Amino acid sequence: MDITQALPLLGGISPQVFMKRHWQKKPLLVRQALPGLKPLLDRAELFELAADEDVQSRLVVHDTGKTPGWRLAHGPFARKALPPLKQAGWTLLVQGVDLHDESVHALMNQFRFVPDARLDDVMISYATDTGGVGPHIDSYDVFLLQAFGRRRWRIGRQKRPVLQDGVPLKILTNFVPEQEFVVEPGDLLYLPPGYAHDGIAEGGCMTYSIGFRIPKKAELARELLQRLAEDAEDELGEVLYRDADQSAVDQPAAIPPSMIEFAQQALQEVMLDPQALARGLGEYMTEPKPNVWFEALETDTVFLAGSSVQLDRRTRMMFDAHHIFINGESFNAGGRDAALMRALANERQLAASDVKKLTQQAKVLVSGWAVAGWLRLV
Ligand code: SIN
Ligand code: CO
C-alpha cells in the first residue's frame, strides 16, 4: 500500500496524514468512504454466524416499556432465540466475522496501514429501529463503517465518565454529546480510544466495527515472563543455589539475603537475551484467536513446485529484524529467505517465481505450513 497516496476511504487524506492527525487523537467522519457499499453478509447469514458455537456474539435488548432497562445475553443464538424483527430496540453483535468470511477479511485488509499487531477483528452488528448499546466509551480505536440502513451517532469527549449502576453494560450516565450526525451506507467514522459515543439505529441497520487490539503493559509482562520462564527451564534448569558461606542463624525464619541475590541473578539472566524478549512478543502477537481451528491436509508433505502461496485468512504472520512469526511459532531468518518471508507476511501471498527462490530449508517450512492449513497453494 502506498501510504502517501490520498484515499477516498480516509476522506481524501493519505494513511500517513491520517495517522499523524487522527490516530489516537481525534475522530474523523468520512462521507461515502466506500461509495455504493452493499452489506458483505446479509441479515440471514449474520444470524447464521451468531448460531455457531465457534463465533462470539452478544445480544443487547433495550426495553423502554413497563420495565425499562438493558439486557445482555451471550451467544450462540438459535434463530428462534433472537427477538422478532418487528420488535424495536435490540442489537445483535457478532465478533470476528473476518475469520469466517473472505470479503470481510478483504475489507479489514484495507486498514493495514495500521500494523497487523494492532489490527484485531471486524465486528458486525444488526439493530432493529432505535437499537444501540447505549452511550459508552471503548478503550480501543475503532472504524465504524455503516453497511446498511441509517444510524444516528452522537459523540463527545467525556472528562469524568460515570457509569450507570446495575446494568450489564458499561453505559454512561453523564454523556454530553458534542457532535451529532446520521450516517448512511458507505459512511465511515473513526473514533480514538476514550471518545464517548452512542449510535442509535434509524430503522434496520448494520454497522461494521473494524477494531484494534491494545496490549496492556501487565498483559505483556505476564505473557513474556511466562515465555522467558520456559526458556529459563532449558538454560538455567539445573543451576542450584549454593551457600557454603552460610553461617548459623538465631532467626531461622529470616530469608537469607544471598538467596534474594540468587533470585535476582536468575531473573536478570533470563531477561538478558534481547532476542528472547522479541521472540516471545512475536509468538504472543501471532497466537491464533482461541476459537480458530485450521484444517490440516491429510498428507505429510506438499510439493511447492510451480505454485504460488496464499496465507489463510485466519493466519497471523509478522516479523521483526531477526525472526519470522507465524501462528504463535518463531523462526530465525536471514538473507534472501527472510526477505521473501517478510514479503509473504506483508502481502499475505507469494508468487510462484518467489517461492522458487526460497532455500530448500525454507521450502520445507512453507510446505509444513501448507500441511497445517496455515496457507494454501494456488
Ligand atoms: C454497534 O455496532 O452497535 C456498536 C458499536 C459501538 O458503539 O462500538
Ligand atoms: Co463503541
Side-chain angles (χ1 to χ4, degrees):
M1 180 183 307
D2 177 0
I3 54 168
T4 62
Q5 194 192 327
L7 298 179
L9 180 72
L10 297 173
I13 60 173
S14 68
Q16 202 171 50
V17 170
F18 170 81
M19 294 305 281
K20 205 165 172 179
R21 282 194 205 149
H22 294 275
W23 183 248
Q24 298 241 307
K25 297 166 205 80
K26 59 177 187 187
L28 176 68
L29 171 66
V30 180
R31 295 287 184 189
Q32 293 306 289
L34 292 171
L37 177 72
K38 296 270 177 295
L40 303 173
L41 269 79
D42 61 26
R43 191 175 60 204
E45 287 169 318
L46 188 69
F47 288 0
E48 217 169 282
L49 272 183
D52 187 331
E53 60 181 27
D54 284 332
V55 178
Q56 257 185 38
S57 55
R58 285 168 296 155
L59 174 68
V60 175
V61 182
H62 190 196
D63 287 318
T64 48
K66 269 185 225 141
T67 46
W70 295 90
R71 271 192 301 128
L72 168 70
H74 292 274
F77 300 104
R79 175 65 190 88
K80 284 193 203 119
L82 297 173
L85 292 173
K86 277 194 230 110
Q87 178 182 322
W90 62 269
T91 300
L92 173 73
L93 306 118
V94 183
Q95 212 73 49
V97 182
D98 52 292
L99 298 172
H100 301 277
D101 184 274
E102 205 56 51
S103 62
V104 176
H105 183 251
L107 170 75
M108 185 166 94
N109 286 347
Q110 295 197 38
F111 295 85
R112 287 183 77 219
F113 50 85
V114 183
D116 288 344
R118 291 283 269 111
L119 208 46
D120 190 15
D121 75 336
V122 178
M123 175 184 85
I124 299 186
S125 69
Y126 173 79
T128 56
D129 188 36
T130 72
V133 297
H136 67 282
I137 288 177
D138 295 313
S139 52
Y140 43 81
D141 313 80
V142 67
F143 286 97
L144 296 148
L145 175 64
Q146 191 60 18
F148 173 77
R150 289 147 55 99
R151 185 182 283 276
R152 180 175 298 274
W153 284 107
R154 295 181 304 147
I155 66 171
R157 272 163 302 213
Q158 207 69 23
K159 278 236 175 67
R160 267 176 225 89
V162 180
L163 294 182
Q164 202 169 317
D165 274 336
V167 287
L169 302 166
K170 286 185 175 163
I171 294 179
L172 296 169
T173 58
N174 59 342
F175 178 50
V176 186
E178 295 169 328
Q179 290 178 65
E180 177 169 339
F181 36 80
V182 175
V183 291
E184 305 208 345
D187 291 350
L188 181 72
L189 172 63
Y190 165 75
L191 292 176
Y195 219 91
H197 53 288
D198 185 18
I200 296 174
E202 300 201 334
C205 157
M206 276 203 244
T207 305
Y208 294 7
S209 296
I210 294 95
F212 293 84
R213 88 196 260 217
I214 301 195
K216 292 193 179 87
K217 253 189 182 171
E219 165 199 347
L220 285 188
R222 186 185 59 234
E223 287 296 331
L224 294 181
L225 284 173
Q226 211 161 25
R227 284 175 163 82
L228 290 174
E230 282 157 23
D231 291 350
E233 206 62 58
D234 304 332
E235 286 158 32
L236 313 174
E238 297 307 318
V239 183
L240 300 177
Y241 174 61
R242 293 178 58 94
D243 56 355
D245 294 336
Q246 177 68 57
S247 44
V249 294
D250 54 5
Q251 296 200 61
I255 294 175
S258 59
M259 192 177 282
I260 297 179
E261 208 175 297
F262 181 73
Q264 216 159 33
Q265 277 171 8
L267 270 185
Q268 270 161 2
E269 279 168 42
V270 290
M271 303 219 291
L272 216 57
D273 176 6
Q275 292 319 324
L277 197 107
R279 199 165 53 235
L281 180 62
E283 288 174 3
Y284 177 56
M285 295 315 289
T286 57
E287 203 73 72
K289 297 235 168 125
N291 48 355
V292 162
W293 313 105
F294 292 97
E295 288 110 44
L297 303 180
E298 286 176 8
T299 171
D300 290 341
T301 43
V302 292
F303 294 100
L304 303 176
S307 308
S308 56
V309 296
Q310 185 167 31
L311 296 184
D312 181 271
R313 64 175 173 268
R314 289 159 292 196
T315 284
R316 283 179 158 171
M317 188 174 187
M318 301 174 200
F319 59 84
D320 67 15
H322 302 282
H323 309 95
I324 301 294
F325 306 104
I326 180 165
N327 292 334
E329 295 190 9
S330 59
F331 302 92
N332 291 323
R336 190 161 68 182
D337 278 345
L340 293 165
M341 293 289 199
R342 284 175 195 166
L344 172 60
N346 282 330
E347 307 305 324
R348 298 190 65 82
Q349 57 189 15
L350 201 60
S353 54
D354 282 334
V355 173
K356 212 169 122 187
K357 290 181 202 150
L358 289 167
T359 60
Q360 187 53 29
Q361 204 188 1
K363 279 186 184 139
V364 171
L365 267 186
V366 172
S367 152
W369 298 343
V371 172
W374 294 358
L375 52 77
R376 248 178 303 284
L377 307 191
V378 275

